[in-house]
Amino acid sequence: MNWLKKLILTLLALIVIGIGILFTIHNTQPVQIDLVFLTLPEASLSLWLIAVFVLGGVCGMVLSSFTLLALKTRLRSARRKEQAFRKELDQLRTAGLKNSN
């Protein structure tokens, strides 16, 4: 089963690389990007589009890591509270047993 997963991932990677190569071949016209306060140097359209795609992916990963960190912090806090509640419950149970004897 593991080999099938590797095979599918390899085929998918080869398809993505092939599409990337075709995209680069068909979009070679040079363009200059003008951001209001900054003008970027002239480069092929495919280069700019791929760069923006990669930058978007990196930004998405960074932002999702902040969310993941916040969720892990909340989980850690909830686990500490649960542990304290369990300890208190055990103390109440043992106190109840001592009082009934």
Side-chain angles (χ1 to χ4, degrees):
M1 192 64 161
N2 196 18
W3 65 271
L4 182 61
K5 183 178 176 181
K6 286 182 183 181
L7 177 68
I8 291 172
L9 287 175
T10 303
L11 288 174
L12 188 62
L14 288 173
I15 289 170
V16 168
I17 289 171
I19 290 172
I21 290 171
L22 288 174
F23 179 77
T24 303
I25 291 171
H26 290 288
N27 291 295
T28 57
Q29 55 272 34
V31 292
Q32 186 175 10
I33 307 294
D34 183 17
L35 306 171
V36 176
F37 300 109
L38 176 69
T39 302
L40 299 175
E42 195 171 280
S44 71
L45 178 62
S46 61
L47 176 67
W48 285 121
L49 290 174
I50 291 171
V52 169
F53 179 74
V54 170
L55 183 64
V58 169
C59 287
M61 289 172 51
V62 168
L63 291 175
S64 66
S65 69
F66 287 136
T67 303
L68 186 63
L69 182 63
L71 288 172
K72 282 185 178 184
T73 303
R74 285 179 55 192
L75 180 62
R76 193 176 303 121
S77 173
R79 283 184 177 162
R80 270 193 239 115
K81 285 181 184 179
E82 180 201 13
Q83 194 173 24
F85 289 147
R86 286 189 185 278
K87 185 177 180 182
E88 182 181 358
L89 183 61
D90 288 341
Q91 288 174 348
L92 290 172
R93 284 180 180 158
T94 57
L97 290 176
K98 288 180 185 177
N99 290 338
S100 65
N101 288 332

